Amino acid sequence: TRYIHTELGIRERLLVGVLTSRATLNTLAVAVNRTVAHHFHRTFFFTGLRSPKVPHGMTVVAHGDDRPVWLMYETVRHLHQHYGSDYDWFLLAQDDTYMQADRLSELVGHLSAGQDLYMGRAEEFIGGEEKARYCHGGYGYLLSRSLLARLQPHLDSCRNDILSVRPDEWLGRCIIDYLGLSCVEVHQEMTYRYFELGKNADPEREDSVQFKNAFTVHPISEPNLMYRLHKRFSQIELEQTYLQIQQLQV
């Protein structure tokens, strides 16, 4: 069907790119793959690792350089170059991010594709004097196809001119400096909902509305926590489904 879609000029809605590393490819990245990757149309894992031994069932793109900002630069370039005309939206996340695939897919389904949008958890830059914000990588963020296309010609300048140790901050600075766009949490009355998980938090005991409604949860310190979160959110979805059935029966 992908070839038919290409011929007809029909694009898929969402491609997911997960940034991973030598240390976590076989642990956290595997947990992301096992819990949510199959719920998205396409999920790629990007690493700086040279010729990595790829875990079973994962699509890994190795850029050959472990520096975090370089990995981000190569990843954004790769997504535009190979998939820029095939997808409306690109979600970038870290491998210590738990994602609710259905909710994220539903979000992009409500957003108009032909606009420049940079959406996620908005963070102040270090120093924090300016109003512009970057999207925190730990909670994932959406980049529209049109934004990616407009950003592409400036990536080399950003790589050479912008000094940052944080890849998400570097990308935010690049988007702000060259496109004049800041990270937003709300757009077209849609909100990017996220939850910050406390240290030693127990997913089974998390009961707040913010947690239950989250699209993404961060930070996930180890794979077992990812699996426990997935179990908890599966229970929440099931409870909501039962509730909807009951309401329909009434």
Side-chain angles (χ1 to χ4, degrees):
T1 59
R2 188 170 299 147
Y3 297 108
I4 296 168
H5 277 200
T6 305
E7 287 299 311
L8 295 174
I10 300 168
R11 283 183 294 275
E12 291 292 341
R13 294 297 284 179
L14 181 65
L15 181 147
V16 178
V18 180
L19 298 162
T20 183
S21 67
R22 183 190 298 268
T24 56
L25 178 64
N26 288 290
T27 53
L28 281 170
V30 167
V32 171
N33 189 58
R34 286 179 177 167
T35 52
V36 298
H38 56 287
H39 292 287
F40 290 117
H41 184 260
R42 264 331 255 291
T43 305
F44 291 91
F45 292 85
F46 294 94
T47 176
L49 197 61
R50 290 184 189 278
S51 59
K53 188 172 181 295
V54 177
H56 178 71
M58 289 170 65
T59 307
V60 177
V61 178
H63 295 308
D65 193 314
D66 258 337
R67 290 172 294 175
V69 168
W70 184 271
L71 176 62
M72 177 65 80
Y73 159 79
E74 288 288 0
T75 296
V76 174
R77 208 168 64 108
H78 181 93
L79 289 174
H80 176 264
Q81 196 174 337
H82 296 282
Y83 304 100
S85 55
D86 298 334
Y87 289 85
D88 284 330
W89 297 98
F90 298 85
L91 175 71
L92 284 178
Q94 297 169 187
D95 59 9
D96 60 351
T97 309
Y98 175 73
M99 295 174 278
Q100 265 289 66
D102 292 344
R103 294 177 187 180
L104 287 160
S105 298
E106 192 181 338
L107 171 67
V108 299
H110 285 99
L111 295 170
S112 173
Q115 61 197 323
D116 294 344
L117 186 62
Y118 174 39
M119 188 182 199
R121 171 172 165 164
E123 293 282 323
E124 286 186 3
F125 284 94
I126 294 165
E129 288 170 20
E130 59 181 311
K131 287 183 180 177
R133 300 282 185 270
Y134 71 94
C135 288
H136 191 299
Y139 300 91
Y141 45 88
L142 288 170
L143 302 171
S144 64
R145 180 175 55 87
S146 60
L147 181 143
L148 210 58
R150 283 186 60 213
L151 191 64
Q152 172 67 16
H154 306 295
L155 284 173
D156 284 351
S157 298
C158 291
R159 185 195 62 189
N160 296 332
D161 300 341
I162 298 171
L163 294 174
S164 179
V165 291
R166 285 190 60 120
D168 50 3
E169 207 175 286
W170 172 85
L171 182 64
R173 172 59 62 206
C174 184
I175 293 169
I176 290 158
D177 286 359
Y178 287 92
L179 304 185
L181 277 175
S182 189
C183 176
V184 296
E185 295 190 2
V186 181
H187 183 73
Q188 292 177 347
E189 297 182 357
M190 300 299 294
T191 302
Y192 192 94
R193 300 196 299 261
Y194 52 83
F195 185 81
E196 184 170 353
L197 203 62
K199 209 171 182 182
N200 304 318
D202 181 355
E204 284 79 26
R205 296 186 180 205
E206 290 291 349
D207 214 32
S208 68
V209 173
Q210 192 188 1
F211 174 79
K212 285 184 171 182
N213 291 338
F215 298 159
T216 62
V217 180
H218 171 82
I220 313 303
S221 53
E222 42 93 24
N224 188 45
L225 184 55
M226 187 86 74
Y227 298 127
R228 286 168 60 207
L229 266 173
H230 191 57
K231 182 184 175 185
R232 177 78 179 105
F233 273 101
S234 299
Q235 288 169 341
I236 291 166
E237 290 295 314
L238 205 55
E239 285 164 13
Q240 288 175 349
T241 304
Y242 280 138
L243 198 64
Q244 285 167 351
I245 292 168
Q246 282 175 340
Q247 286 166 348
L248 287 170
Q249 287 171 338
V250 170

